[in-house]
Amino acid sequence: MYKAEIKVFYKKGVLDPQGQAVKGALHHLGFLDVKEVRIGKIIFLTLETEDKGEAEEKVKEMCESLLANPVIEDYSFILLEEER
Amino acid sequence: MRCAVIVFPGSNCDVDCFYVLRDVLGQNTDYVFHKEKFSPNDFDLIVLPGGFSYGDYLRAGAIARFSNAMESVIRASEKGKLVLGICNGFQILLEAGLLEGAMMKNKDLKFHCHDVYLKVENNSTPFTKLYRENEIIRMPIAHGYGNYYASPETIEKLVTRKQIVFTYCDEEGNLTEKANPNGSVRNIAGICNENRNVLGLMPHPERCAEEILKNTDGKKLFESILEYTKGGLFGGNA
């Protein structure tokens, strides 16, 4: 089994209104050295496969078809082998 | 005109759309449940109503696009049938790739529920023929994810092909930042595809289509569609 940890974030250049709001709040709390805040999603999923290559291919397909919207988002992921 | 209103789990403007098409316009109208499939020739107009399909999980419209009904909608659109996506319906059309671009959270992170002024940027579509070019109209909006985004190259293409149909403006028709409720690029409120048979817009024409509501600016959109399907304005089609 493989566990995938998928990160989905807005592309560089796409304004992230939530990140902006949180940055404002952090500044308000006195954390004035905060330069940039980006908010995204982390998706964990487990795959019933023993083949790392297959797991990688499937996760890529999932990201491109559903988990990320290529118009505004980039994705990255790591795979961790899990004991059954 | 035969009309379909697609019902997803979480749709909440389906009844309003159905009412306007059947009772206000007097057209043959059916609900189509998201699990159903239909043939491209079953309907002249397919409406994807507003709401929160699948709870807006992941992204607004992201999950609805994989339903059975959407497969049929895509096939019908390829055959030139008219597809109208309102609010969440617009978001679904973007996710399905029937229209270009994507929706993001409103710039001020607030849910906006009020009337806006719109400019009819293109009145030579099946959906807008009864409006005057550059006519200023008023429609209600109600959304949290209406911040339309597309790459500069896509926007350029939308402009040259006249695919921008509605923009947010002030009462005089100026596209100001203040008149833009959600931060959308170029004040975009609605766009169509290159073939002009698919329109998506964030405002709700079905909520301003009757005298009793003190605003009938949205009714013209549905009447335009009706004229088009009768062949009255474009010299015959559908």
Side-chain angles (χ1 to χ4, degrees), chain B residues 83-94:
Chain B
V83 179
L84 169 64
I86 302 166
C87 200
N88 188 224
F90 184 11
Q91 295 161 343
I92 296 168
L93 289 175
L94 293 168

Side-chain angles (χ1 to χ4, degrees), chain B residues 1 6 31 37 40 57 73 76 92 98 124 134 185 207 229:
Chain B
M1 174 167 76
I6 312 289
Y31 285 118
K37 289 188 178 179
Y57 295 159
V73 172
I92 296 168
L98 288 180
S124 46
N134 296 327
V185 183
R207 295 189 189 178
T229 58

